[in-house]
Amino acid sequence: MKKVKQSKVKEEKVSRRGFLKTAAVAAGAAATMGFPTIVKAQGPISWRWQSTWPTKDIFHEYALDYAKKVNDMTGGDLKIEVLPAGSVVPAFGVLDAVSKGTLDGAHGVIVYHYGKQAALALFGSSPAFGMDANMNLAWYKYGGGKELRDKLYSSIGANVVSFLYGPMATQPFGWFKKPISKLEDMKGMKFRTVGLSVDMYTAMGAAVNALPGAEIVPALDRGLLDGAEFNNASSDRALGFQDVSKVCMLQSFHQNAEQFEILFNKDKFNALPAKMKAILENAAEAANSDMWWKSIDRGSKDYIWLQTEAKVKFYKTPDVILQKQLEIWDQIAERKSKENPMFKEILESQMAFAKRAVSWDMDYNANRRMAYNRYFAKKAPAKKG
């Protein structure tokens, strides 16, 4: 009787082992044939971001646009919530907050970290040897800029992953009480700018205060500033520059090749699956194009509104001032290159790329002013007789 029971137990073990083996084979076959397999569901990852822009600025909208692309592309598996400037930390404090993990990520500009390493400002506030922002991004991706940026962050111990994207149009020289016709007009002026532009405007005789975007117009309104520059027609309109000034000088070399930065805490980024990390990187490039197209559409409309509705007068910055900017920049670059080896390394890399890229651009692209004048410029009436 005992032998019979042992035999039955043995048969049951063999039977169970065979069943599991068969089930495993069947599951493998099902996966091979493309049948769905049941995977234990995991909750979505939620990340808290902060932009360096007030809610009303189009720049904050760009941050929301990127987050939406990520949220859509991951099917909700990663959800980025974007808070406006100051919600958790001041605008100039996002690098530290992301590096420490206080924030999971941020949207801003690399120039805002200028105080930690002056060479960071070369990614946005300089003449860039004639490159526009798209060319500067081309240098960043294909000319060695990305590796140099990573080297810079490593040198200051920043625990972040960074993506540069979103080319900006050349920024205005500034908003003033009256047109600036000569360099002497800048002497003693209380002026707002950021990055290496601080050095440039200081050398032009201004008393510079580096304020974040949301604080500029209130400072102008209270007389704490005599003039200021921020960025573009849409942002300037949203921030209310037209309410405190009716003069804006266009074209400048202080920030003619700037772009945005998307930051992530490195530990949290590295913990993601490879597929999700790829989505975050590729979403930045998708947002790059969308942001540029939106800026053309909205910027051109707001430029017209500022002229027609707000009665702002726009003036071209005189060539004598533009030439002086380049002279001053050369002095700044020489001095900082001697003080900072990484500054020199980045500068030389940009110059090598710009020499061929700007030459190619000028030679290949047709004169837009000629075509525009033909179709839209006012024609003088024909003379009679």
Side-chain angles (χ1 to χ4, degrees):
M1 187 72 179
K2 191 174 182 181
K3 288 182 178 179
V4 173
K5 286 183 178 180
Q6 287 178 343
S7 178
K8 284 184 177 180
V9 171
K10 188 175 181 181
E11 288 176 4
E12 286 176 0
K13 287 183 177 179
V14 172
S15 177
R16 188 183 300 116
R17 194 179 298 118
F19 170 77
L20 292 174
K21 184 177 180 181
T22 304
V25 172
T32 302
M33 296 176 68
F35 292 121
T37 57
I38 299 173
V39 180
K40 185 177 180 180
Q42 295 181 352
I45 300 169
S46 295
W47 277 359
R48 184 174 63 164
W49 256 34
Q50 183 185 298
S51 83
T52 53
W53 324 111
T55 306
K56 60 186 176 182
D57 190 354
I58 194 172
F59 287 179
H60 186 69
E61 187 176 328
Y62 295 152
L64 294 173
D65 289 343
Y66 173 78
K68 185 178 186 305
K69 282 179 171 57
V70 170
N71 296 345
D72 290 347
M73 292 167 74
T74 62
D77 289 340
L78 174 59
K79 294 182 178 179
I80 296 177
E81 176 193 8
V82 184
L83 305 171
S87 297
V88 180
V89 296
F92 290 168
V94 295
L95 179 62
D96 285 338
V98 174
S99 187
K100 294 174 183 177
T102 305
L103 289 167
D104 301 311
H107 183 280
V109 288
I110 200 167
V111 174
Y112 276 9
H113 320 319
Y114 165 75
K116 295 183 178 297
Q117 164 56 274
L120 285 168
L122 287 171
F123 289 82
S125 61
S126 79
F129 307 106
M131 291 191 290
D132 63 16
N134 267 308
M135 290 182 186
N136 212 13
L137 281 167
W139 163 76
Y140 159 75
K141 182 163 185 180
Y142 295 107
K146 182 180 185 298
E147 292 74 18
L148 289 167
R149 192 277 323 280
D150 290 343
K151 184 177 177 180
L152 277 175
Y153 274 150
S154 178
S155 74
I156 60 174
N159 184 40
V160 296
V161 171
S162 164
F163 299 120
L164 299 189
Y165 91 112
M168 303 180 194
T170 297
Q171 297 175 36
F173 180 57
W175 291 75
F176 303 93
K177 294 177 181 178
K178 60 181 182 179
I180 304 299
S181 59
K182 56 187 181 300
L183 192 63
E184 288 71 26
D185 294 338
M186 297 294 296
K187 299 293 183 183
M189 180 180 293
K190 294 175 290 185
F191 192 81
R192 181 271 178 193
T193 190
V194 293
L196 287 168
S197 304
V198 171
D199 299 73
M200 180 180 286
Y201 281 89
T202 299
M204 294 172 74
V208 179
N209 190 350
L211 294 175
E215 299 178 25
I216 303 171
V217 171
L220 283 166
D221 192 37
R222 295 197 301 270
L224 301 176
L225 293 174
D226 301 315
E229 64 81 31
F230 183 63
N231 196 283
N232 66 91
S234 297
S235 292
D236 291 354
R237 174 186 173 180
L239 293 176
F241 274 82
Q242 69 279 0
D243 298 327
V244 294
S245 173
K246 297 297 181 184
V247 173
C248 183
M249 307 293 297
L250 298 179
Q251 300 185 23
S252 180
F253 284 119
H254 77 284
Q255 283 178 304
N256 73 311
E258 193 173 13
Q259 66 286 307
F260 293 102
E261 179 183 43
I262 292 168
L263 278 175
F264 294 104
N265 176 271
K266 183 181 284 187
D267 297 333
K268 294 179 180 178
F269 181 88
N270 288 340
L272 293 174
K275 180 179 179 180
M276 200 168 285
K277 287 190 282 190
I279 287 175
L280 291 176
E281 183 171 5
N282 286 292
E285 296 197 357
N288 181 84
S289 295
D290 184 41
M291 187 236 93
W292 180 237
W293 300 332
K294 180 182 282 190
S295 72
I296 293 171
D297 176 56
R298 295 271 285 278
S300 59
K301 291 175 181 176
D302 288 326
Y303 179 50
I304 292 172
W305 184 90
L306 286 168
Q307 294 175 82
T308 58
E309 301 298 323
K311 308 303 180 185
V312 173
K313 297 292 185 183
F314 288 91
Y315 300 85
K316 179 190 175 299
T317 301
D319 286 348
V320 64
I321 292 179
L322 296 177
Q323 288 287 352
K324 192 64 180 179
Q325 284 184 321
L326 293 176
E327 290 175 22
I328 291 172
W329 166 251
D330 288 345
Q331 296 167 12
I332 294 169
E334 182 179 3
R335 183 176 73 252
K336 291 196 176 293
S337 292
K338 291 178 180 178
E339 301 169 350
N340 187 336
M342 293 190 71
F343 193 100
K344 181 180 181 181
E345 185 179 3
I346 292 171
L347 208 64
E348 290 176 348
S349 176
Q350 283 184 331
M351 181 179 285
F353 191 89
K355 185 176 181 180
R356 60 183 171 87
V358 177
S359 174
W360 164 82
D361 176 65
M362 292 188 301
D363 289 349
Y364 264 71
N365 288 314
N367 188 315
R368 290 183 296 161
R369 178 70 65 183
M370 181 186 295
Y372 182 88
N373 286 345
R374 176 175 178 83
Y375 298 105
F376 304 113
K378 293 181 180 179
K379 295 180 173 61
K383 293 181 180 181
K384 295 181 179 179

